[in-house]
Amino acid sequence: MVKTFAVIGDPIEHSLSPSIHNAAFKALNLDCTYIAYRIPRGELKEGIESLRQIKISGFNVTIPHKIEMMQYLDEASAECKVIGATNTVSNDNGKFTGYNTDMDGFLEPIKKRNIGISGESVLVLGSGGAARAIVAGFVKEGAKKITISNRTLQKAQDLAEFASDLGAEADSITLQNVDVSKYKFVINATSVGLKNEPSPISTNAINANHVVYDIIYMPMNTDLIQQSKKNSATIIYGYEMLLGQAALAFQIWHKVQAPYEAMKKVLLGGF
Ligand code: ATR
């Protein structure tokens, strides 16, 4: 019988997850299909019920349901509990188990480049759900100091407190007062750049010692990435995190290594 997978969220029509997972099924000859299913905010409970009825094998969760989905799980992984959000759910005979592959999916391209995190200083721009998974990842990998910068300072303070509670040295600052020279890693986890806006921080002091990672994948070359490239920083692209989290979700569901190159090929073809 064909196994069905889905991504739920709203908006969902531009999601690249169906292309990525369907390419993986094709590469491995799996009798599976993956669809995008729009569930508006406030309709998660009903939406989940209909997924149960069609015996969905597993699904990804995206904006705006990553946090609310936690209450509909029968079991949650340790990462999910720490982050307080889930992006991947498996269905084993009606039992929904939640995972969060955003954190390790984010870390994967850093590890692949053999860039050390332990003992380093990190600047995270943004304080939403994505920033939270990223901060948890840096704490897990032993970052020495984490500074959170956000348009709304209160949210940056809350996220810094979350990082402190996990055991890191953390503080917060406004976007205008950022001094990039203090950090090795500069991460953009705001939505600034999605519409080709200028970088959320000044890039003048970015240099070859910096690792600049923008989690926006569309457009691939945000203004922050373009400026940082000019200044010879090491660049990590948002599509790499997208692929990293998708590959990990794939492995949870199918219990085999994800066909990373096939997934990457279809994703880059879509740009
Ligand atoms: P996600 O789950 O992807 O992290 P989110 O929770 O909506 O999405 O978070 C979006 C982030 O982008 C927030 O940090 C937001 O800042 P605020 O907390 O001040 O809202 C940031 N952001 C969005 N638009 C912005 C803008 N025009 N300038 C600066 N930051 C912005």
Side-chain angles (χ1 to χ4, degrees):
M1 201 179 77
V2 182
K3 285 186 175 175
T4 304
F5 296 84
V7 56
I8 63 168
D10 189 22
I12 206 68
E13 56 275 20
H14 298 298
S15 170
L16 295 168
S17 294
S19 307
I20 299 173
H21 284 275
N22 283 315
F25 300 153
K26 205 169 161 192
L28 296 188
N29 227 342
L30 297 177
D31 198 8
C32 299
T33 185
Y34 187 111
I35 57 164
Y37 178 35
R38 189 174 76 89
I39 300 182
R41 193 187 285 277
E43 294 178 24
L44 183 59
K45 191 166 189 279
E46 295 79 3
I48 297 296
E49 204 38 56
S50 55
L51 288 177
R52 256 188 210 286
Q53 274 165 16
I54 65 159
K55 297 191 166 48
I56 195 87
S57 295
F59 55 98
N60 284 127
V61 184
T62 188
I63 290 172
H65 302 307
K66 286 187 187 185
I67 294 169
E68 197 190 341
M69 185 63 214
M70 290 292 288
Q71 56 189 283
Y72 300 109
L73 298 174
D74 299 303
E75 206 176 309
S77 73
E79 278 96 353
C80 261
K81 286 182 192 157
V82 168
I83 300 163
T86 181
N87 77 322
T88 302
V89 179
S90 67
N91 179 11
D92 302 303
N93 297 315
K95 182 182 163 199
F96 281 7
T97 305
Y99 303 85
N100 193 310
T101 67
D102 283 335
M103 180 172 80
D104 286 328
F106 169 82
L107 293 171
E108 198 259 354
I110 301 177
K111 292 185 173 171
K112 203 153 90 182
R113 287 169 171 79
N114 287 317
I115 301 171
I117 294 175
S118 180
E120 300 291 353
S121 296
V122 181
L123 173 66
V124 176
L125 312 175
S127 300
R132 209 171 158 87
I134 290 166
V135 165
F138 275 117
V139 177
K140 182 177 83 153
E141 297 299 321
K144 179 166 173 282
K145 174 157 187 208
I146 304 177
T147 296
I148 323 285
S149 185
N150 195 47
R151 177 178 60 180
T152 311
L153 190 59
Q154 180 61 49
K155 285 172 74 184
Q157 284 165 351
D158 293 348
L159 191 53
E161 202 175 306
F162 167 76
S164 299
D165 290 347
L166 293 179
E169 187 191 321
D171 61 7
S172 54
I173 192 167
T174 60
L175 291 166
Q176 294 72 30
N177 291 327
V178 159
D179 174 6
V180 290
S181 67
K182 292 183 184 164
Y183 311 95
K184 171 169 171 175
F185 290 93
V186 176
I187 315 298
N188 179 37
T190 73
S191 45
V192 181
L194 270 175
K195 295 177 190 146
N196 285 308
E197 304 96 319
S199 162
I201 53 159
S202 165
T203 52
N204 294 338
I206 287 179
N207 60 40
N209 297 320
H210 284 105
V211 177
V212 178
Y213 190 164
D214 196 331
I215 71 162
I216 289 178
Y217 56 83
M218 188 88 86
M220 192 161 117
N221 283 292
T222 58
D223 182 54
L224 171 66
I225 291 288
Q226 288 179 40
Q227 302 302 327
S228 303
K229 224 187 254 180
K230 271 188 210 151
N231 295 358
S232 309
T234 298
I235 304 295
I236 305 183
Y237 294 98
Y239 82 80
E240 298 180 67
M241 175 180 177
L242 181 68
L243 275 173
Q245 65 76 29
L248 291 171
F250 187 94
Q251 281 154 207
I252 288 168
W253 292 327
H254 306 284
K255 311 224 168 9
V256 292
Q257 194 71 27
Y260 189 87
E261 287 308 317
M263 295 165 97
K264 181 177 172 181
K265 199 170 155 200
V266 72
L267 178 60
L268 292 182
F271 284 115

